Amino acid sequence: MPSTINLQPSTALAGAKRWLLAGIVLAVVVSLFSAQFNRYYLGIAIDCGISIILAVSLNLINGHTGQFSLGHAGFMAVGGYSAAKLTLVCSPMVPDSLKPLLFLVALVLGGCVAAVIGLGVGVPSLRLKGDYLAIVTLGFGEIIRVVVQNMESVGAASGLKGIPKYTTLGWTFALAAVTIYVIASLVNSTYGRGFIAVNDDEVAASSMGINPVRYKVTAFVIGAFFAGVAGGLYAHHKQFLSPTGFDFLKSIDIVVMVILGGMGRTVGVIIAAILLTLLPEVLRQFADYRMIIYALLIIGLMMLRPQGLFTMGQKKKGAAAV
Amino acid sequence: MKNNLLSSQADVQRVAESKDGICALDQAIKRGLLLSLVIGGGILGLSGCGPGGGGDTILVGEFASLTGKEATFGISSHEGTLLAIEELNAAGGVLGKKLELKTEDDQSKAGEPANVVNKLISKDGVVAILGEVASSRSLEAAPICQQNGIPMISPASTNPKVTETGDFIFRVCFIDPFQGTVMANFATNTLKAKKVAVFTDVKSDYSKGLAKFFKEGFTKTGGQIVSELDFNGGDKDFKAQLTAIKSAAPDAVFVPGYYTDVALICIQAKQLGLDVPLIGGDGWESDTLVKIGGGAVEGHYFSTHYSSDAGSPKVTAFVAAYKKRYNGKLPDAMAALGYDSAMFLADAIKRAGSTEGAKMRDALAATKEFDAVTGKIAINGQRDAVKSAVILQVKGGAFKFVETVAP
Amino acid sequence: MEWFSQQLINGLALGSIYALIALGYSMVYGVLRFINFAHSDVLMLGAYAAFFIAPAIEKIIPLPSLTGALLVTLLSALICAGIGILIEFLAYRPLRSRPKLTVLITAIGVSLFIEFTCQHKAVFGADTKPFPQLLPATDFHLAGLVVSSNDLVVVLVTALLLAGLWFIVHKTKNGMAMRAVSFNQQAAALMGVNINRIIAFTFGLGSALAAVAGILYALKAPGIEPLMGVQPGIRAFIAAVLGGIGNLPGATLGGLLLGLLETFAGGISGLSSYRDGIAFAILILILLFKPAGLLGKATVEKV
């Protein structure tokens, strides 16, 4: 399935896309043997993939477009719950052979519902900037959590259980690749340069005929869509959803990935997402000291590589990194 | 004021240094992807690690909230569990082997239990899982234990849904419907209450479950629920809701919550002059309730698993051992249940004569009478513990036994 | 009517605490233009400082008493001011010229570090500890209404500290320097303002405020644990933004408003379960009409 993605290398990014294609192929090949892998490592690998989708999609909003959003976990929750509810209702009626199709429909549905919510959040962003926008998006995320916590149809506080296990390594990395591809292509298209223009200088951008309103809302809608897809993957990976998992600390985790990776630099963000997902697991052997070390590492990394962890060169103004 | 978040200086610098943007970029991408492949390969490569334990030890996994919002309960249950394992080993272990407890912290965070339990089972190779206090985290771990055929015993998750996951999931505590009904009957029969207000923690499935079954039970006995309000676990200000409850003039208030919140609720209720009995469930039980609440918790009632002044030798021995092990700290209900969950597992391993998942499961399921600190346990068809509850009253800074309610 | 008046009292008492915490957020933001995430953890440290100092003080001055409480609070505030200055020196100063987002993430890191270090069993441990009664507490009953003395103290202290802060910022030399740094750091430096000293002073002052707020919060709800600052911290952050971040009267107004909103929402059956969300929903509505907060000045971008 991922191999059917239409890859049209443009000159500057041809190398990157070859690497991307190689990554997808590898993920799919690896997933064929996933039954042989230790479930713990497999689970973490899937977590990494989900983190990549979340971080790359938030990067479109926070990094490329320069809107500071703290509500990504809310979009993830909406997508996760919508997708899980659909599969819970439909899976007894669907024959096994059509289950992957059901899963795909559920993921897309989750993404679309999240995108609608993203539209709702994107509209206030037209009037707000910086910290004010941050607090409003944080507020939206919390409102979503509170509403879910009171919805008996999705289990309210006790959570939604019994979600079928559809998420595999192949699904996750294929969708991560699609996310990266779509967002990178978008930002690097003629249309997409508008995102960066809005980030760099809104006034200048609008005087050049770029409509900042449209770009900001587009960024929120697309970012939310992929966060919703990630939520769907998460739901069918953990097989259980509870509202407390989507509080603002989850949003903060994703923001840290984006900033650590380097705002607007997709490769850095991907690596930061993987690193920050692996780190707490690797640190488990330190038991009591695990999260203390984790916090110190974040501080240390910000001191040593404040421009983002994996930005080898400087970002060229006007050209988005893949 | 264009952009608060980025200093313009850094921007200028960035432009100045960006001559070879694309070239460096391409390199960065290659190096980045290479690195990610190495990392990815690393994880998958490590998957060869075999299960630990084996030989002359039996490895038992435990997951608990040792940090985070609900750490105070997780630590209690962990301390109880650890004490049980140490006692078992001092007495020669089980099946001639020592028990080894492998504990992982889930930070009271959703999403963590799945990783932690996967690690305990797939990487460390534990034979059974003990945990969690919070039902929502037990629910997350249960399908993993079920799929791996590893028995899981929850010490204190009272939500009925937990054991519905499958035949490998057990618990040593009673469930919400039982406890809710017990308190409803107590309110009607002993307190002679006609009108009761219910004050629920919406964030906690435990609290919501108890409230639901209390309301059903209480209206069935002819009582009336005059006011229903909610709080969020971890709140510090309850006066808004308590003022509303006071204006409904109830005969008693049912507060199914944890002691950290309940102590504050009692204090603020007293400040507002709400002088009716407050009643609750096993989440109340901890000497911290009295330490924080002081005089404000006096005279209130709650149901729980056991009473430390009931005089049973088993309870006395447990309390003494716990105090000795943890510098004079008094065990709370979570500690007692944690202790019981480990003892219950050890008993099942002995009866099964093996640490094979299915055999342990059968032994656990066949339990007719297990003598635990928190009372005699029988396991029913839903793999829930059937046991009696006791009702205690706070009097003179201690918990005084009021009555026992049989299942 | 009685219900309404009582809720008004409850709301003002809660709002005053939020306001007090928001003052610290707002002041640091006003000078440095970044959200000090660790502020809520300094609040927690303030409560713990008082928790450990109180037994020592009790040997000299019996507690609960006014002088004893003042002494405990003063010492805790001093300790926290030291901690605040230390945090600034170690974690934020090296990043002064970096993008603000870098500092923000560092602040999150510092916050996590304090929280997890304090939860470690060798430090404070994660369990809830009973906070000692520092002040003699009584409840005043007035025509069916109840006002607790602790709530009065909170309102009084908040008012006093707001006035004191206003005085410092507007009438002292340090305050003038703070405003200069806030207005333009480079220009202030050229005018002979010692930037490092002023920023350290701001952090010390903000952290001392956090300590006072932490102790008052612990008096109101006498169970303290290492994560106790998180929830009021977010509320205060909202309050500061609501009032117009960087604006001290705005922070107070935002705090009071949020306290009242939460209280009235919390007192209504059926709405109380949405209490957390309602505060945010109204905040969003207000910001839609006043995008720079209630008292914040809207800035027009000049080309």
Side-chain angles (χ1 to χ4, degrees):
Chain A
M1 175 205 44
S3 55
T4 60
I5 292 167
N6 185 15
L7 289 173
Q8 291 175 320
S10 69
T11 46
L13 298 161
K17 281 184 183 162
R18 270 203 299 277
W19 279 95
L20 195 62
L21 188 66
I24 302 168
V25 171
L26 189 83
V28 173
V29 171
V30 162
S31 70
L32 292 177
F33 299 97
S34 60
Q36 266 88 52
F37 294 137
N38 182 314
R39 290 192 197 192
Y40 170 54
Y41 297 109
L42 193 66
I44 295 172
I46 293 174
D47 281 346
C48 285
I50 294 171
S51 294
I52 291 174
I53 302 179
L54 287 169
V56 168
S57 58
L58 183 66
N59 193 27
L60 176 68
I61 304 173
N62 284 19
H64 296 302
T65 321
Q67 306 294 297
F68 196 58
S69 167
L70 274 177
H72 224 50
F75 299 140
M76 186 186 169
V78 169
Y81 271 101
S82 314
K85 193 69 197 168
L86 183 79
T87 49
L88 274 176
V89 171
C90 296
S91 70
M93 300 177 255
V94 172
D96 273 353
S97 56
L98 287 177
K99 289 272 161 76
L101 186 69
L102 172 68
F103 186 36
L104 188 67
V105 171
L107 290 176
V108 172
L109 174 86
C112 289
V113 178
V116 172
I117 304 285
L119 186 70
V121 183
V123 171
S125 77
L126 310 179
R127 279 177 66 86
L128 300 168
K129 283 195 170 92
D131 303 287
Y132 295 99
L133 178 63
I135 203 85
V136 163
T137 48
L138 188 153
F140 263 106
E142 286 289 286
I143 289 172
I144 289 168
R145 183 183 62 75
V146 171
V147 168
V148 169
Q149 198 168 281
N150 283 289
M151 273 170 74
E152 292 297 337
S153 61
V154 291
S158 61
L160 194 59
K161 77 176 189 83
I163 305 167
K165 187 161 183 63
Y166 289 157
T167 303
T168 61
L169 199 64
W171 273 103
T172 314
F173 276 88
L175 284 168
V178 170
T179 309
I180 298 165
Y181 178 78
V182 169
I183 289 179
S185 312
L186 184 69
V187 172
N188 284 295
S189 66
T190 317
Y191 175 84
R193 291 299 154 108
F195 292 108
I196 296 138
V198 170
N199 182 11
D200 284 346
D201 194 327
E202 216 179 299
V203 176
S206 54
S207 66
M208 298 299 284
I210 286 166
N211 180 358
V213 171
R214 202 173 68 190
Y215 278 95
K216 285 186 196 173
V217 175
T218 310
F220 265 104
V221 169
I222 294 175
F225 175 84
F226 284 109
V229 171
L233 286 169
Y234 178 86
H236 295 84
H237 171 45
K238 302 280 180 189
Q239 296 173 269
F240 177 76
L241 289 177
S242 91
T244 53
F246 301 105
D247 59 0
F248 88 106
L249 290 172
K250 179 79 192 171
S251 299
I252 297 263
D253 282 349
I254 310 168
V255 171
V256 171
M257 288 171 192
V258 171
I259 298 181
L260 199 64
M263 298 274 278
R265 295 166 174 91
T266 308
V267 175
V269 167
I270 294 169
I271 297 168
I274 296 173
L275 204 71
L276 287 175
T277 313
L278 289 184
L279 203 56
E281 296 299 328
V282 174
L283 292 175
R284 260 189 214 290
Q285 51 187 306
F286 298 103
D288 293 357
Y289 297 95
R290 170 167 90 114
M291 293 312 287
I292 302 177
I293 299 172
Y294 177 76
L296 282 176
L297 279 175
I298 289 183
I299 301 172
L301 286 172
M302 284 328 319
M303 299 251 178
L304 298 173
R305 298 210 50 98
Q307 73 276 40
L309 199 48
F310 297 99
T311 42
M312 314 291 172
Q314 293 293 325
K315 176 187 169 191
K316 188 177 161 84
K317 270 274 179 181
V322 170
Chain B
M1 281 301 290
K2 180 215 108 194
N3 198 335
N4 277 339
L5 298 164
L6 283 172
S7 91
S8 55
Q9 242 179 330
D11 273 10
V12 174
Q13 221 172 359
R14 227 167 50 184
V15 178
E17 289 172 15
S18 62
K19 285 173 205 122
D20 305 319
I22 298 235
C23 184
L25 185 77
D26 198 42
Q27 228 177 0
I29 291 163
K30 279 181 187 163
R31 285 169 69 177
L33 276 172
L34 204 62
L35 194 68
S36 64
L37 286 181
V38 171
I39 295 171
I43 329 170
L44 298 169
L46 278 171
S47 53
C49 293
D56 48 358
T57 57
I58 297 173
L59 197 58
V60 176
E62 184 205 10
F63 70 111
S65 45
L66 300 179
T67 56
K69 281 177 229 124
E70 278 135 34
T72 191
F73 318 110
I75 290 172
S76 280
S77 82
H78 168 64
E79 286 177 349
T81 310
L82 191 62
L83 179 67
I85 300 282
E86 285 170 2
E87 282 185 6
L88 284 164
N89 283 341
V94 178
L95 303 181
K97 292 178 181 179
K98 294 272 185 228
L99 290 169
E100 192 188 332
L101 185 68
K102 180 99 189 156
T103 307
E104 289 288 352
D105 174 22
D106 61 30
Q107 297 176 262
S108 319
K109 232 164 98 176
E112 282 279 300
N115 283 354
V116 161
V117 170
N118 255 327
K119 173 184 177 281
L120 286 170
I121 295 174
S122 304
K123 182 160 176 264
D124 301 326
V126 299
V127 298
I129 294 280
L130 301 174
E132 233 266 26
V133 171
S135 299
S136 58
R137 291 192 286 278
S138 293
L139 277 166
E140 190 175 323
I144 297 164
C145 295
Q146 180 67 27
Q147 282 152 18
N148 283 288
I150 297 284
M152 167 176 150
I153 305 174
S154 164
S157 295
T158 50
N159 189 316
K161 285 190 209 160
V162 171
T163 51
E164 280 170 17
T165 306
D167 59 352
F168 279 92
I169 318 298
F170 298 83
R171 71 177 116 213
V172 290
C173 52
F174 43 59
I175 53 173
D176 294 337
F178 173 63
Q179 202 181 182
T181 317
V182 163
M183 285 321 281
N185 292 336
F186 175 75
T188 316
N189 301 333
T190 312
L191 295 178
K192 310 281 178 224
K194 298 270 178 296
K195 296 188 290 177
V196 167
V198 179
F199 193 23
T200 318
D201 174 0
V202 264
K203 245 186 186 166
S204 147
D205 49 340
Y206 158 74
S207 186
K208 285 186 91 167
L210 264 187
K212 182 176 161 235
F213 294 107
F214 176 85
K215 280 185 269 183
E216 281 177 15
F218 190 67
T219 41
K220 216 183 273 170
T221 59
Q224 187 196 353
I225 306 288
V226 287
S227 176
E228 281 181 55
L229 285 140
D230 303 298
F231 65 98
N232 277 289
D235 279 357
K236 305 282 175 185
D237 184 89
F238 306 93
K239 284 193 172 166
Q241 296 95 320
L242 290 170
T243 301
I245 288 175
K246 192 188 165 195
S247 63
D251 301 326
V253 185
F254 183 58
V255 189
Y258 287 118
Y259 55 83
T260 41
D261 297 324
V262 170
L264 302 179
I265 290 172
C266 291
I267 292 172
Q268 294 176 12
K270 198 184 171 204
Q271 282 178 354
L272 289 170
L274 182 63
D275 297 320
V276 296
L278 267 57
I279 54 178
D282 57 336
W284 282 37
E285 200 199 324
S286 164
D287 58 337
T288 310
L289 178 79
V290 181
K291 279 190 192 151
I292 297 174
V297 293
E298 282 291 305
H300 299 320
Y301 301 89
F302 61 92
S303 60
T304 188
H305 308 266
Y306 81 117
S307 159
S308 51
D309 70 339
S312 117
K314 196 143 186 123
V315 173
T316 321
F318 166 69
V319 173
Y322 190 90
K323 277 169 88 171
K324 190 169 163 236
R325 173 72 174 78
Y326 300 107
N327 307 321
K329 195 172 155 189
L330 272 172
D332 58 14
M334 303 302 152
L337 289 167
Y339 181 87
D340 281 348
S341 69
M343 286 296 184
F344 184 41
L345 176 69
D347 179 65
I349 295 176
K350 275 181 209 157
R351 280 186 284 127
S354 151
T355 54
E356 219 174 284
K359 285 190 182 147
M360 281 192 285
R361 173 198 61 192
D362 296 340
L364 285 166
T367 309
K368 286 283 166 283
E369 189 180 291
F370 173 69
D371 196 14
V373 170
T374 57
K376 289 206 173 16
I377 295 175
I379 293 295
N380 67 9
Q382 279 82 51
R383 294 165 303 283
D384 296 326
V386 179
K387 59 204 273 198
S388 52
V390 293
I391 292 175
L392 306 180
Q393 184 183 24
V394 190
K395 238 183 193 169
F399 301 140
K400 293 283 172 251
F401 175 78
V402 178
E403 62 186 60
T404 301
V405 185
Chain C
M1 195 57 214
E2 188 186 310
W3 180 88
F4 183 83
S5 319
Q6 183 66 53
Q7 295 294 33
L8 200 66
I9 295 169
N10 297 341
L12 285 175
L14 180 65
S16 300
I17 294 239
Y18 290 159
L20 193 52
I21 311 169
L23 282 177
Y25 266 114
S26 226
M27 199 174 59
V28 170
Y29 186 90
V31 173
L32 279 172
R33 308 256 158 237
F34 93 97
I35 303 153
N36 181 15
F37 263 85
H39 192 73
S40 56
D41 301 297
V42 177
L43 176 144
M44 176 271 293
L45 290 174
Y48 269 94
F51 174 79
F52 287 112
I53 290 171
I57 293 287
E58 203 164 13
K59 288 186 187 128
I60 315 163
I61 306 164
L63 286 172
S65 68
L66 188 62
T67 36
L70 275 176
L71 201 59
V72 170
T73 311
L74 202 66
L75 285 174
S76 311
L78 277 177
I79 292 173
C80 284
I83 294 172
I85 292 171
L86 194 70
I87 293 174
E88 195 275 327
F89 182 76
L90 290 177
Y92 303 151
R93 186 167 298 182
L95 300 169
R96 184 87 47 81
S97 60
R98 310 278 198 196
K100 287 288 174 275
L101 276 174
T102 311
V103 194
L104 184 76
I105 296 302
T106 312
I108 293 172
V110 171
S111 169
L112 287 176
F113 174 72
I114 298 177
E115 281 167 19
F116 281 99
T117 310
C118 292
Q119 284 185 61
H120 194 275
K121 54 179 177 285
V123 188
F124 300 152
D127 57 328
T128 308
K129 297 208 163 41
F131 193 74
Q133 202 62 44
L134 298 178
L135 275 175
T138 40
D139 303 317
F140 303 108
H141 294 262
L142 256 155
L145 301 182
V146 189
V147 185
S148 84
S149 57
N150 278 343
D151 289 347
L152 284 179
V153 170
V154 172
V155 175
L156 210 67
V157 170
T158 307
L160 280 177
L161 287 178
L162 175 67
L165 271 187
W166 188 87
F167 181 80
I168 291 176
V169 173
H170 289 277
K171 299 286 172 198
T172 65
K173 216 169 171 186
N174 268 338
M176 197 199 281
M178 275 164 77
R179 282 180 290 142
V181 172
S182 161
F183 194 72
N184 188 330
Q185 242 183 59
Q186 277 166 327
L190 289 173
M191 293 295 126
V193 175
N194 184 342
I195 305 263
N196 284 341
R197 204 178 63 81
I198 289 302
I199 290 179
F201 175 74
T202 311
F203 262 91
L205 200 59
S207 304
L209 276 181
V212 177
I215 292 170
L216 289 174
Y217 197 60
L219 280 179
K220 187 180 174 70
I224 58 171
E225 32 99 18
L227 297 177
M228 65 177 274
V230 177
Q231 205 245 19
I234 293 194
R235 293 297 187 283
F237 176 33
I238 299 173
V241 176
L242 186 59
I245 195 158
N247 181 315
L248 297 182
T252 317
L253 182 68
L256 290 177
L257 204 63
L258 193 66
L260 284 170
L261 279 175
E262 281 200 349
T263 303
F264 279 104
I268 297 166
S269 184
L271 266 186
S272 61
S273 57
Y274 290 94
R275 179 174 167 168
D276 283 11
I278 285 166
F280 276 110
I282 290 172
L283 168 87
I284 292 171
L285 277 179
I286 290 178
L287 284 185
L288 284 182
F289 293 102
K290 298 277 292 178
L294 288 172
L295 300 185
K297 282 193 210 92
T299 47
V300 179
E301 198 176 309
K302 295 191 186 97
V303 184

